[in-house]
């Protein structure tokens, strides 16, 4: 489970922004059993969901970008970047003091009964600093600390750093974490597994999720769960079918090497022709019904396709205990449906650590009683274009305040301040 994320000097964020999923002590009487998970070992109260509000161009998507960059860099920097390749990091460019400074990221998370704190500082050419700490009880233990070319490591927990064969794996433009993963280091593999369970999606461009949902629908048990979500969402769909090309007509993609070919077949199921959905057609005179097939792509609404695309990531998160992060989560979705999805995570039945973190403009959530104050976050830009991040629980409010009204009237900040639009006058 994600406990905390810090980002500094990355895109919109000039100063350090701190996002926390640790429940506050102010809201213990508000949906405690539904919205908060409890870790017995560390006595932690961990939020199951969080919503991020803010004006357009305030930095909400850039916050998701920051998490996405950290995930990509951790999992892929060794394999994706060759010696001398630039690191695709973007510092805050609207200030002379930050444009040439490194970007800094740090994550704290709970994984396999341990708390890990991992972070790094990086610019476009090299990793300047990198650190990993592990906590089993009250005391934090260093696994490794990297400062330029110098590495300080725990003699047992990161003994690989002393191995001569490992030294050529260490490159200035990739993370030590990513390098150590190639040697199957025990603790590094735990970190990598957590990053693999950190799922980040765009709610506007949902083709990736749709392909994932389609391919996973070939498993009958998963298809049954997806269909259950579609039916409960009042889409009108009573069944759906993934059309697969007959084996004798399936031609494998022509690529240069077998490894690339297998990767394409695995990730892009080319043998899948499309998806049809089944609706009921009513005869008003006889009172009978018959089934009618629709094309998911051509006949279903944008909202239905969006929900279909999100269905498998939601099921996977709730089944495997993933942290699911969705940018523009409620785009094309009715507010009532959004509430139902959030309620799946904010549930006493969610006991394996699934989390949902999302950006939204749906201010109904502020008055829906689904979210506690510590689950509501705001991002606001200052006059110089730098973003800051804060929680509703950081603001002096009363429990009976009308949060939606106060927010829309500017009481909490993070709204657009619009000038009069005179173009038609």
């Amino acid at each position: 489970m994600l406990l905390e994320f810090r980002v500094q000097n990355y895109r919109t964020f000039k100063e350090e922004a701190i996002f926390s999923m640790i429940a506050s002590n102010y809201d213990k009487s508000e949906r405690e059993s539904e919205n908060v998970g409890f870790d017995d070992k560390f006595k932690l109260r961990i939020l199951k969901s969080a919503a991020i509000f803010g004006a357009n161009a305030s930095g909400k998507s850039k916050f998701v970008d920051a998490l996405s960059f950290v995930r990509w860099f951790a999992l892929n920097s060794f394999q994706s970047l060759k010696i001398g390749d630039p690191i695709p990091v973007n510092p805050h460019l609207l200030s002379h003091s930050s444009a040439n400074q490194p970007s800094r990221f740090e994550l704290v998370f709970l994984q396999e009964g341990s708390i890990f704190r991992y972070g790094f500082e990086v610019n476009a050419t090299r990793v300047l600093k990198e650190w990993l700490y592990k906590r089993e009880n009250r005391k934090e233990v260093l696994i490794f600390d990297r400062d330029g070319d110098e590495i300080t490591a725990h003699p047992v927990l990161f003994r690989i750093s002393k191995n001569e064969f490992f030294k050529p794996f260490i490159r200035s433009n990739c993370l030590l974490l990513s390098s150590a993963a190639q040697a199957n280091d025990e603790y590094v593999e735990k970190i990598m597994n957590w990053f693999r369970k950190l799922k980040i999606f765009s709610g506007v461009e949902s083709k990736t999720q749709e392909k994932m949902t389609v391919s996973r629908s070939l498993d009958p048990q998963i298809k049954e769960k997806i269909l259950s979500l579609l039916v409960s969402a009042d889409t009108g769909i009573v069944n759906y079918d993934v059309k697969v090309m007959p084996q004798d007509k399936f031609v494998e993609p022509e690529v240069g090497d077998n490894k690339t070919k297998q990767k394409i077949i695995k990730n892009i199921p080319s043998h899948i022709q499309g998806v049809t959905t089944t609706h009921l057609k009513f005869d008003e005179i006889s009172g009978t019904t018959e089934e009618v097939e629709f094309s998911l792509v051509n006949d279903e609404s944008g909202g239905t396709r969006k929900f279909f695309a999100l269905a498998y990531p939601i099921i996977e998160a709730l089944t495997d205990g993933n942290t699911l992060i969705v940018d523009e989560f409620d785009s094309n979705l009715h507010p009532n449906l959004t509430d139902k999805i959030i309620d799946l995570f904010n549930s006493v039945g969610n006991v394996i650590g699934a989390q949902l973190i999302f950006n939204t403009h749906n201010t109904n959530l502020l008055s829906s009683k689904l979210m506690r104050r510590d689950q509501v976050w705001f991002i606001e830009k200052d006059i110089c274009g730098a973003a800051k991040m804060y929680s509703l629980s950081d603001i002096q409010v009363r429990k009976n305040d009308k949060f939606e009204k106060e927010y829309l009237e500017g009481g909490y900040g993070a709204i657009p301040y619009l000038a009069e639009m005179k173009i038609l006058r």
Side-chain angles (χ1 to χ4, degrees), residues 179-193:
S179 301
Q182 312 308 309
N184 299 318
D185 181 85
E186 177 187 354
Y187 283 103
V188 167
E189 188 59 24
K190 288 184 180 182
I191 308 301
M192 303 304 266
N193 284 338

Side-chain angles (χ1 to χ4, degrees), residues 1-3 39 41-42 44 46 108-117 134-136 186-198 320-323 352-353:
M1 298 181 80
L2 177 64
L3 305 182
D39 181 76
K41 180 177 180 180
F42 296 101
L44 288 175
I46 307 169
V108 182
F109 51 91
L110 186 63
Q111 171 72 346
E112 296 183 21
S114 302
I115 293 178
F116 292 94
R117 180 166 65 89
K134 170 176 170 284
R135 183 180 153 201
E136 291 286 357
E186 177 187 354
Y187 283 103
V188 167
E189 188 59 24
K190 288 184 180 182
I191 308 301
M192 303 304 266
N193 284 338
W194 184 83
F195 275 114
R196 293 183 188 106
K197 293 177 69 174
L198 178 66
D320 297 343
N322 296 346
T323 296
I352 60 170

Side-chain angles (χ1 to χ4, degrees), residues 358-374:
F358 58 95
N359 295 340
T360 183
H361 291 292
N362 179 12
T363 59
N364 291 330
L365 289 173
L366 294 172
S367 57
S368 67
K369 303 298 183 182
L370 273 178
M371 310 292 285
R372 297 153 43 105
R373 289 179 296 176
D374 51 7

Side-chain angles (χ1 to χ4, degrees), residues 206-220:
S206 55
K207 288 183 180 179
T208 301
Q209 300 98 283
E210 187 171 301
K211 285 181 179 179
M212 185 186 303
T213 300
V214 170
S215 62
R216 297 299 288 134
S217 293
L218 297 176
D219 182 328

Side-chain angles (χ1 to χ4, degrees), residues 366-369 373 392 395-407 411-412:
L366 294 172
S367 57
S368 67
K369 303 298 183 182
R373 289 179 296 176
L392 182 58
I395 303 172
Q396 293 293 329
V397 296
R398 294 185 297 270
K399 289 184 179 180
N400 58 350
D401 282 351
K402 297 181 178 179
F403 298 140
E404 181 179 17
K405 180 175 180 292
E406 290 287 336
Y407 170 63
Y412 309 142

Side-chain angles (χ1 to χ4, degrees), residues 3 23 64-65 134 179 199 229 259 303 318 336 354 366 397 420:
L3 305 182
V64 175
D65 283 349
K134 170 176 170 284
S179 301
K199 306 293 185 176
L229 283 181
K259 184 178 179 181
L318 293 168
N336 290 353
L366 294 172
V397 296
E420 187 177 357

